[in-house]
Amino acid sequence: MARAAPPAAVAPPSLPLRERTDARAGIGLGARAYRGVVAGCVAAVAAFLALRLTAWPPHEDETLALFVGHEPLGTLLGTVLGERGGAPLHFLFAWIVAHLGGGFGGLRLVSALFALASIPVLAVLVERLAGRTEAAVAAVLASASWVFLFHAVYGRMYSIFLCLSALSYLALLAALRDGGPRRWSLWGVAILATVATHPYGALVLASQAVYVTATRERLRQAAVAFVAVAALGTPFWLTNLVLARRFDVGVGGGGERLGGPLPVVRYLGSVAADFSAGPVVLPVVLALLAVGFVRLRRARPRSALLAAAAFATPTAAFLLARVGQSAAPETRHLIFTLPFFAALLAAALVAVARSPRTGAPVAAAATGVLLAVGSVAWAFEKTPALFLGEPPERAEARAELASWLARTGRPDDVLLGYDPVFLAAWRQDPSFSRFVLPRADARLAASRLQEAEGPLGRGVWVLNAAATTNGEQSLSIPLRLPRPADAFEARTFGPYLVLRTREPTGTPERYLRYAAAAMIVGKTLFIGDADINFQTISRAAAQLGYEASASASRSTSSR
């Protein structure tokens, strides 16, 4: 009887053939090395955040979240869903932080934790899309980018949005692979959480609908799941409409920003720059993205299709939408595309490393290192305070101003804008006014003035010569009074000029007139925010049928 041939060696099923070959060639990563790279990214970012979490000065958007977060939960939800619009999940975190006694540090800690969690989530998603080696490279590139590092510190919703949107894409792929109520339910929870985090969660959902429709996989199950999400997400769609009305967002193209294909292309270019190493190397980055997409389309067509859907859906939305000046999208709004961006860059670099040309692995590694280092350098160039902190003089002046406001403020003072000094004053003295008018929303400002109970108190305005929105920053500011001078008092604290009416303003018309005069002083001092504030005041006055800003302009021009 002939002896049976020995069985052929069988490779572990968890490692695809191409990756086994590449690993033997020294190009691919084994499971342990892959986990080590991802863990190293988490550790490096955690160390950075531990040192720099409070280095960047407090921002008004963080102040807004904490101001609203101090309200009772029912009031908070009513304010966010019915008055301000937008996604409530971040405000819920702010409510938890505020009611635990936390401030800016606590709010930023939430962003930091979600940013750290997003690194392994991003890696798993890219591994599913492109492979293990590509996932490790993508984790490094994403972790070094400005958009990631800055929003890991910024106490808003963007690192939460990144983490949850990546989870939703992962959950969708799992549901399409395995099917069944459990998988689709997990996807539904993930995508609803994403939508609850940011209005652009609707674009995440739309991109996933485009992908499912294009693949035509499990269409019946997907249709049921998408209909359920559409129904359960009704409160979010309604609150997004509230936000759209506030900021003049509609359908039809045009508007004050993104009015045509060219502005959209410029915007997408700025996104690619902030996702990588800045505008100087943008042509190289775009070329690598193209190479990565081609390679991914050849090796894994469905992964390329999902990446295309993730980028094409917001692009189409921007081309079709009418976007007002105050609603213009920024880089952070497309942070949900960062995993796909990093995946394409990584796919290109790994493809170069795997080419048979002499020195290709070294060239690919050098390019990856330069991109990662360049990304950190661009983050430093774009936001130096993220690394260096703010000048001590400015922090001391802000603390002195907050203490002065706490000592001399009245509960009915009318504050313009969610300035961090107002929150600091309120934390020192809980009787300090919490009547804040939004400085970039004329409709809401006019509504609050109309609905105020009783006569309006004194107007309070803070002008900051060190703000990054100024053409030039300074740590000092001249003392200057608006007209009529006898109606105002003024104090300076380092770069801050605080203007306050001596007497209560009484009526919305009188308040707006004085507010316009104060902002004209800001314009003469070249304070960048004064231009936005003046427009808000002018539009609020027009909505209420007043000519406050025009009166103030005539008054000031007669000086």
Side-chain angles (χ1 to χ4, degrees):
M1 183 175 179
R3 178 180 299 179
V10 179
S14 60
L15 192 61
L17 177 60
R18 189 184 70 178
E19 292 196 10
R20 293 200 306 274
T21 304
D22 292 334
R24 288 195 297 269
I27 297 172
L29 288 181
R32 180 177 299 178
Y34 161 68
R35 290 194 294 267
V37 171
V38 175
C41 291
V42 173
V45 173
F48 174 81
L49 295 177
L51 295 173
R52 312 313 299 159
L53 190 65
T54 58
W56 191 60
H59 191 270
E60 63 178 319
D61 289 337
E62 298 172 308
T63 307
L64 163 63
L66 290 171
F67 254 107
V68 177
H70 278 93
E71 300 287 349
L73 184 58
T75 304
L76 177 144
L77 292 176
T79 299
V80 174
L81 296 175
E83 182 180 292
R84 299 196 60 85
L89 187 57
H90 175 252
F91 285 95
L92 182 60
F93 282 117
W95 179 83
I96 294 172
V97 169
H99 283 77
L100 289 176
F104 291 108
L107 195 63
R108 291 181 175 185
L109 182 60
V110 173
S111 292
L113 292 175
F114 272 95
L116 293 174
S118 69
I119 296 174
V121 173
L122 179 148
V124 173
L125 176 58
V126 177
E127 182 184 14
R128 179 72 189 276
L129 294 173
R132 180 182 295 159
T133 305
E134 289 85 349
V137 175
V140 173
L141 295 177
S143 299
S145 68
W146 171 84
V147 73
F148 179 85
L149 291 175
F150 177 72
H151 291 96
V153 169
Y154 193 18
R156 293 197 71 197
M157 69 284 291
Y158 294 98
S159 64
I160 308 174
F161 188 34
L162 170 62
C163 185
L164 294 180
S165 61
L167 278 173
S168 75
Y169 282 113
L170 264 177
L172 176 69
L173 293 176
L176 290 173
R177 180 192 61 203
D178 301 332
R182 180 175 176 273
R183 288 292 189 184
W184 284 109
S185 296
L186 290 174
W187 168 77
V189 171
I191 191 61
L192 285 172
T194 301
V195 171
T197 303
H198 196 280
Y200 277 43
L203 294 179
V204 177
L205 176 62
S207 71
Q208 295 176 358
V210 169
Y211 174 72
V212 171
T213 303
T215 60
R216 303 186 64 81
E217 188 174 0
R218 301 189 189 275
L219 274 181
R220 183 173 300 178
Q221 293 181 16
V224 172
F226 274 83
V227 169
V229 165
L232 293 173
T234 298
F236 306 127
W237 318 137
L238 294 177
T239 193
N240 286 348
L241 289 176
V242 172
L243 189 67
R245 286 194 294 268
R246 283 180 55 211
F247 290 110
D248 189 28
V249 176
V251 178
E256 298 177 58
R257 295 289 297 272
L258 300 185
L262 189 57
V264 172
V265 170
R266 284 199 295 264
Y267 164 65
L268 295 177
S270 68
V271 170
D274 286 344
F275 278 15
S276 55
V280 173
V281 298
L282 184 58
V284 175
V285 169
L286 294 178
L288 287 173
L289 290 173
V291 171
F293 182 78
V294 170
R295 297 301 296 246
L296 194 61
R297 187 172 181 274
R298 291 175 179 172
R300 306 190 183 199
R302 291 199 173 185
S303 296
L305 180 59
L306 182 57
F311 291 119
T313 302
T315 302
F318 294 141
L319 290 171
L320 295 174
R322 183 187 71 254
V323 181
Q325 179 72 25
S326 57
E330 304 289 347
T331 297
R332 60 182 179 264
H333 293 119
L334 291 188
I335 197 170
F336 68 90
T337 64
L338 180 61
F340 302 98
F341 184 94
L344 295 182
L345 277 184
L349 293 173
V350 174
V352 171
R354 287 170 175 161
S355 69
R357 296 183 179 180
T358 303
V362 174
T367 303
V369 170
L370 289 175
L371 281 177
V373 173
S375 295
V376 176
W378 174 242
F380 183 88
E381 172 71 20
K382 191 174 176 71
T383 314
L386 184 62
F387 297 84
L388 303 177
E390 64 177 330
E393 303 93 325
R394 178 181 171 182
E396 293 169 3
R398 186 170 60 249
E400 292 175 4
L401 171 54
S403 297
W404 181 80
L405 287 172
R407 290 194 310 269
T408 63
R410 298 176 186 171
D412 63 346
D413 286 343
V414 183
L415 317 175
L416 180 65
Y418 289 90
D419 197 294
V421 297
F422 295 150
L423 180 64
W426 180 79
R427 289 176 70 88
Q428 292 182 39
D429 181 3
S431 68
F432 183 75
S433 175
R434 296 177 64 185
F435 184 15
V436 184
L437 299 178
R439 68 177 192 86
D441 187 341
R443 294 180 184 179
L444 189 53
S447 174
R448 287 191 176 173
L449 287 172
Q450 275 189 316
E451 296 171 0
E453 297 179 0
L456 296 173
R458 299 175 302 176
V460 182
W461 305 273
V462 174
L463 303 173
N464 182 6
T468 56
T469 52
N470 302 341
E472 295 183 3
Q473 290 84 48
S474 173
L475 291 176
S476 63
I477 192 170
L479 183 67
R480 191 169 297 178
L481 282 167
R483 288 292 186 92
D486 59 356
F488 292 87
E489 59 178 325
R491 293 282 297 269
T492 60
F493 298 84
Y496 297 97
L497 169 63
V498 57
L499 303 173
R500 189 167 63 188
T501 58
R502 295 184 181 276
E503 302 295 335
T505 54
T507 65
E509 181 179 11
R510 194 171 179 221
Y511 169 81
L512 290 168
R513 186 179 298 117
Y514 285 143
M519 289 306 107
I520 288 173
V521 169
K523 289 162 72 74
T524 65
L525 296 174
F526 303 103
I527 306 299
D529 288 342
D531 292 322
I532 297 175
N533 298 349
F534 187 81
Q535 292 179 16
T536 299
I537 292 162
S538 301
R539 291 171 179 173
Q543 288 199 14
L544 296 176
Y546 306 142
E547 296 184 1
S549 57
S551 299
S553 299
R554 288 193 296 270
S555 169
T556 305
S557 63
S558 65
R559 295 168 60 177

